[in-house]
Amino acid sequence: MIIIKYTGRVDFEYDIQGLLRTFFPGEPMVTNRETEADLILEAEFYDYFENKPMVLRLEGKPYMQGEFKGETERTLRQQGSFLPGSVPAGEEEQEGNGIRPGDDYDQVRKETKNRLKRLLFNLLKEYTGKTPVWGTLSGIRPTKITSSYLERGYSEAEAKQRFMREYYVSGEKAEQCVKISRKEAEILKGIDYKNGYSLYIGIPFCPSTCLYCSFTSYPLSKYRTKTDAYLEALGKELKYIAEVCAMRKPDTIYIGGGTPTTLEPYQLDNLLGIVHKLFDTKAIREFTVEAGRPDSITREKLKVLGRYDVSRISINPQTMNQKTLDIIGRHHTVEDFLNAYDMARNCGFDNINMDFILGLPDETEEDVRRSMEWVERLKPDSLTIHSLALKRAARLNILKEQYRQYTIENSDEIMEITRQTAKKLDLTPYYLYRQKNMAGNLENIGYAKDGRAGIYNILIMEEKQTILAAGAGSSTKMVHPDGRKITRIENVKDVDIYISDIDKMIERKRSFFEQTEC
């Protein structure tokens, strides 16, 4: 049990708790409660305007090898006062980081947060003996930071050193992010950030709900009679988007979910026909349809996708171990996946992605090695490796007592198996992101052959281009002309409410577009 006691102004709670979870994965965490605890963190924050110091105090039982040990109380105390223009004790002034009176408030606040996290990192590192490879980072887009360095004229070596210095990221991870940022910049050449956009279309139905899933997804068996009504509402929203952005052209289109290929062939045909009628698809850089569940794929559906020039599909086994597939509730077999993959190749698809998840229940290093052996035989055009993230809404988290007998493990050694497989197939890393509560505190990373990288994947992570979204649970992300401000317009997740309130979903977009340029 970890207790956080805020003894001063409460601020940066999300960042403090994120860093604590990095060092103490799975530990219960509460704030301001008087109860017995293994570890107590007291936090008081520096207020620039009131000129009060920031103080962190950590008291608790010794912590060794992933758990609290023994009964002897041990106390570590460290404190630092952050005055305008100063840095924590023991750190050198960093170029461009000195905060002075009158500086931009957002920049002052950002630097205060980063200094707080560095101070807390050092405190927790001393306490636990651990040095997390991602340093103080708890956000999901580390490559946005390294991309910003490169855009400001830093060399790759300078960007790497600054990333390590400011966020305590390991040299290996820093170099990985810098190289991926450089790769992203090459891939995104020609993307029209000002006049273009990307289009996301959500199909929130799946054959079944996987144990780890927290996406907007509903079992098709319960919603089969509502799919036509859903597609009618979706078509109405797409028509509005096409009208309001008639003078702009999409760079990428991504149909995801859920699993879009749960739709019947005639429904897929109708949906793709609407897309081609409403949007200029002749010059788009990428047209992706998630065909993620092998048990949803048929030759007839693949032919429909081919007729409408879908350029990229994703067929996702997640693992090639049948025992694991049964545990996580994916109602397909290894053989089903192999048949679906072979069928897609025979239908002419030359840009196929495969997703795998590391850290699935009871998966071992040897299981991952077997999965990667299959990858080497099949030679996909891109490969996405996820570290399992225990999301709040996933059954694996909600019913965690029921699944406590399973071990969940990932490590850099296991990740290395996938890196070596990608290298053998000449697949280079092209995008990377992180999530909360990831197994092993690692990352998700995409590898691809030259010319086969998922452009939409990069755009959604780098947040440089407006993404207009339609469908239940989808989120439009409007990037303002300054490139810094982003406005999100959310659709409801519930399919029934989306169908009945589609006019309200459209009105949300309309009210925003009337006040700003699309």
Side-chain angles (χ1 to χ4, degrees):
M1 168 73 75
I2 297 173
I3 294 181
I4 308 171
K5 291 186 176 181
Y6 296 109
T7 56
R9 169 183 168 183
V10 176
D11 205 355
F12 305 117
E13 294 177 84
Y14 176 86
D15 300 283
I16 287 176
Q17 292 180 25
L19 202 49
L20 283 168
R21 288 190 179 95
T22 295
F23 281 89
F24 305 107
E27 282 291 334
M29 193 177 304
V30 296
T31 60
N32 295 318
R33 282 183 55 185
E34 295 294 334
T35 185
E36 183 178 353
D38 295 300
L39 180 68
I40 298 175
L41 172 70
E42 295 185 16
E44 179 179 326
F45 305 100
Y46 180 77
D47 185 332
Y48 279 96
F49 308 103
E50 296 295 329
N51 200 33
K52 294 179 180 178
M54 177 185 294
V55 179
L56 293 175
R57 295 186 181 89
L58 189 65
E59 301 183 13
K61 299 175 182 178
Y63 186 83
M64 299 292 291
Q65 298 178 348
E67 59 180 304
F68 294 100
K69 298 279 189 180
E71 297 297 328
T72 304
E73 287 293 329
R74 176 179 177 221
T75 301
L76 294 174
R77 299 179 184 273
Q78 186 171 349
Q79 64 184 39
S81 299
F82 296 93
L83 302 176
S86 71
V87 294
E91 288 195 33
E92 297 179 359
E93 180 69 49
Q94 297 173 8
E95 179 185 356
N97 280 354
I99 302 300
R100 297 170 298 278
D103 281 350
D104 177 75
Y105 173 77
D106 289 339
Q107 181 60 35
V108 169
R109 191 178 188 281
K110 177 182 177 182
E111 182 57 23
T112 303
K113 178 183 72 174
N114 287 340
R115 293 178 178 184
L116 161 66
K117 292 176 73 173
R118 288 195 292 267
L119 179 63
L120 181 57
F121 182 92
N122 285 332
L123 188 61
L124 295 172
K125 176 183 174 181
E126 181 183 353
Y127 184 77
T128 63
K130 298 195 299 185
T131 307
V133 293
W134 282 106
T136 66
L137 290 179
S138 53
I140 68 173
R141 298 177 175 89
T143 54
K144 283 191 71 174
I145 300 171
T146 47
S147 292
S148 73
Y149 294 154
L150 296 176
E151 289 166 3
R152 287 151 58 189
Y154 286 87
S155 68
E156 290 189 19
E158 290 168 338
K160 174 184 173 181
Q161 289 303 314
R162 181 151 191 168
F163 198 37
M164 294 170 63
R165 188 178 65 204
E166 292 188 5
Y167 297 96
Y168 293 172
V169 175
S170 74
E172 181 183 352
K173 297 302 181 186
E175 183 170 356
Q176 184 181 47
C177 284
V178 170
K179 289 186 179 301
I180 288 175
S181 289
R182 185 68 76 192
K183 185 72 173 180
E184 288 178 346
E186 293 173 5
I187 293 169
L188 295 181
K189 284 179 181 176
I191 292 291
D192 190 344
Y193 296 123
K194 183 179 179 181
N195 299 308
Y197 65 95
S198 287
L199 176 65
Y200 175 83
I201 302 170
I203 306 297
F205 308 113
C206 268
S208 62
T209 302
C210 297
L211 192 61
Y212 53 79
C213 184
S214 63
F215 290 119
T216 301
S217 174
Y218 301 90
L220 188 65
S221 58
K222 294 183 179 180
Y223 284 85
R224 193 177 300 277
T225 59
K226 299 178 180 180
T227 52
D228 284 327
Y230 176 80
L231 291 173
E232 183 178 350
L234 180 61
K236 193 172 184 180
E237 187 175 15
L238 289 171
K239 183 179 179 182
Y240 171 73
I241 291 174
E243 289 172 353
V244 78
C245 290
M247 303 305 293
R248 301 174 67 171
K249 295 181 180 180
D251 286 295
T252 72
I253 297 176
Y254 193 103
I255 304 181
T259 306
T261 44
T262 53
L263 297 176
E264 295 296 325
Y266 79 90
Q267 293 171 326
L268 270 177
D269 190 88
N270 289 343
L271 173 61
L272 293 173
I274 289 170
V275 171
H276 272 255
K277 179 180 178 181
L278 294 175
F279 301 95
D280 184 353
T281 61
K282 295 184 180 65
I284 61 173
R285 294 274 300 274
E286 176 182 272
F287 192 168
T288 299
V289 173
E290 282 277 352
R293 296 287 290 268
D295 44 336
S296 72
I297 296 172
T298 65
R299 188 174 298 276
E300 188 176 0
K301 292 178 186 179
L302 291 170
K303 287 181 177 179
V304 171
L305 301 183
R307 278 203 303 274
Y308 288 99
D309 299 323
V310 170
S311 60
R312 182 176 182 272
I313 63 173
S314 190
I315 308 176
N316 304 328
Q318 310 300 13
T319 175
M320 295 296 280
N321 296 288
Q322 190 60 51
K323 179 182 176 182
T324 311
L325 290 172
D326 295 338
I327 291 173
I328 64 179
R330 283 179 81 82
H331 295 169
H332 67 82
T333 64
V334 171
E335 185 178 0
D336 289 336
F337 170 79
L338 296 173
N339 289 337
Y341 186 90
D342 185 60
M343 195 186 306
R345 285 299 195 205
N346 288 336
C347 286
F349 287 94
D350 61 359
N351 193 354
I352 301 177
N353 174 73
M354 290 170 61
D355 275 14
F356 286 85
I357 299 177
L358 307 185
L360 290 172
D362 274 359
E363 281 258 294
T364 65
E365 184 173 325
E366 189 55 39
D367 290 328
V368 173
R369 200 178 301 278
R370 280 197 297 270
S371 288
M372 291 302 104
E373 287 171 358
W374 274 110
V375 172
E376 290 180 33
R377 292 179 215 170
L378 295 170
K379 297 179 173 57
D381 306 285
S382 61
L383 172 68
T384 308
I385 302 297
H386 299 268
S387 293
L388 179 68
L390 287 178
K391 298 293 190 67
R392 182 179 59 183
R395 283 189 298 129
L396 187 56
N397 188 48
I398 295 172
L399 304 175
K400 55 188 172 186
E401 291 299 323
Q402 179 177 333
Y403 297 102
R404 188 175 290 277
Q405 74 268 29
Y406 298 117
T407 59
I408 293 176
E409 180 183 359
N410 193 18
S411 66
D412 205 52
E413 289 74 24
I414 293 175
M415 291 287 284
E416 181 61 24
I417 296 171
T418 65
R419 284 192 285 266
Q420 289 303 316
T421 295
K423 186 176 181 179
K424 289 177 185 177
L425 296 175
D426 291 324
L427 306 177
T428 56
Y430 75 94
Y431 92 116
L432 178 151
Y433 69 102
R434 304 186 69 236
Q435 296 169 280
K436 289 194 303 182
N437 304 322
M438 297 185 78
N441 186 40
L442 291 165
E443 65 273 351
N444 302 327
I445 186 165
Y447 301 89
K449 295 178 182 177
D450 285 344
R452 294 292 185 264
I455 300 172
Y456 176 87
N457 289 337
I458 302 173
L459 291 170
I460 195 71
M461 284 299 142
E462 292 303 303
E463 297 183 313
K464 292 180 178 179
Q465 185 185 53
T466 288
I467 294 177
L468 301 176
S474 67
S475 177
T476 287
K477 297 168 73 172
M478 294 292 301
V479 179
H480 290 248
D482 63 6
R484 296 175 61 187
K485 183 180 178 183
I486 296 173
T487 299
R488 288 171 171 78
I489 310 168
E490 309 281 350
N491 279 355
V492 295
K493 294 183 178 181
D494 186 276
V495 168
D496 292 314
I497 297 175
Y498 176 81
I499 293 170
S500 63
D501 290 2
I502 184 58
D503 291 335
K504 293 181 181 178
M505 301 300 102
I506 293 172
E507 190 56 37
R508 286 183 186 178
K509 288 183 171 65
R510 190 189 311 278
S511 62
F512 176 79
F513 290 144
E514 286 176 352
Q515 300 175 41
T516 187
E517 182 182 355
C518 172

